[in-house]
Amino acid sequence: MNRDLTDTLQAQREAAGPAPFPTLAVRRERLARLARMTKRHQHDIVRAIQLDFGQRSEIEIHLAEILPVLHAARYARRHLWHWMRPRRARVPLRLWPARARVAPQPLGVVGVMSPWNYPWSLSIMPAIDALAAGNTVMLKPSEHARHTSALLAKLIPQHFTQEEFCVIEGGADVAKTFSALAFDHLVFTGSTQIGRQVATAAAANLTPVTLELGGKSPALVASDADLDSAAEAIIFGKGFNAGQTCIAPDYVIVESRRLDALTHALERAIRRQRPDAKDATGYVSDAHHARIERLLDDARARGCRVLEHGPHAPALVIDPQQSLSLMQEEIFGRALPVISVKHIDDAIRVINARPRPLALYAFTHQKALQETLRHQTCSGALVFNETLLHHAVPTLPFGGVGESGSGAYHGRHGFERFSHQRSVFYQPKRSNSGWLRPPYHRWLLHLLRLG
């Protein structure tokens, strides 16, 4: 397998050799093929994902898996001509009349390792940015979403040559080999634990990596927040895909005096949004389902108040002890701890005491508090009075910081992430650079203000 993967990587490199800088037309046509493939086979995509999860809302699949891909491809095709243009770089007066430019150049072959929670969109969206930047792509989808993985392996060869975009299926052993290939860039989306292993494997080849990880993203509810509005947004973020989202609110933090009122508002939001199992999403495996229930059982055994509203709805865990596994691990499921603090400053201290999250949600319209959070906290994204929807803004970079990841992509940020920003310097026939060369004279020091 190692030899086969190396050969595939080399074949992509060699195929790009005669045309290492694909034209705008070639890139736009590749993006059009990706969009066309997704649009034509959307029913197959829905069916494959539903088979992987056992149960998943068709509307949520369209919202999270299909529409983002179509929108991202269209956005890139529309703006690509501008992104590809070299941009002027200012030259110091002493070097005139020389000119300089920064010219984006394709890196080469980009490896993509995608997760199981959004198995179509998180496979295709990094590929959109990589193809827009003029690269070729090797994709390793998650073996835990085997039906979607098989569909990707079936459809992509129908729309792309092996040298443009190929799919590598397999389990953990294949993933380990894949991460150790000498890519020109490697994108991994998944857990922090596996992300460390991927980064270690890539480091042997000095392969630059973009790690989209996760962590415990807090939702802070301030004293001025409308509780019903905040609760609706939090439950939407937690209930979507059964909480199996890297940017889902992991826990809620609120001042003690508003704890009961917020708890009631969250319960009302659960009853409105998740009245039955019709729009529910299942877990990708029995093991993952068992893990979430084990976290909840542990909280109950330790005396926590757990408010249930059905097996598919968010379960509120009121003021859990910090020592619980629920508060130590990224939950990635329906459990939602609600923590009370005396003052908003205590909330900021709680957030800053943890590893930096992928997203920080804050429900407040106070400009002063918004500025405080902007300057005194660090997260991949800072989102006010909403959850999840920042991911749908193509002009915002998507990525983490610290344990929640490194690097960002989406839109122009993805194009630049998967490009080499090449420095280009132009010296005209007649220049004044000779005075910088030996033999040196004393007057030069005075001219340069060094003596």
Side-chain angles (χ1 to χ4, degrees), residues 225-307:
D226 180 283
L227 294 184
D228 282 320
S229 177
E232 289 287 343
I234 291 168
I235 294 305
F236 165 71
K238 190 64 170 183
F240 200 93
N241 202 30
Q244 299 167 110
T245 305
C246 58
I247 53 173
D250 191 274
Y251 65 96
V252 182
I253 189 164
V254 65
E255 291 175 320
S256 302
R257 61 189 179 85
R258 306 194 86 192
L259 174 62
D260 289 341
L262 177 62
T263 300
H264 295 318
L266 290 168
E267 289 190 288
R268 289 193 296 271
I270 292 170
R271 287 192 291 268
R272 276 193 294 269
Q273 294 185 28
R274 303 290 171 180
D276 51 46
K278 177 171 65 70
D279 288 324
T281 293
Y283 289 107
V284 75
S285 68
D286 292 339
H288 187 57
H289 179 230
R291 173 184 166 271
I292 299 301
E293 297 308 310
R294 190 163 56 248
L295 292 176
L296 289 170
D297 289 342
D298 184 37
R300 293 187 190 96
R302 295 279 294 274
C304 296
R305 183 158 59 111
V306 178
L307 304 177

Side-chain angles (χ1 to χ4, degrees), residues 145-160:
R146 59 187 184 89
H147 293 93
T148 310
S149 177
L151 184 63
L152 286 162
K154 173 186 174 184
L155 294 181
I156 286 175
Q158 295 176 11
H159 295 80
F160 293 87

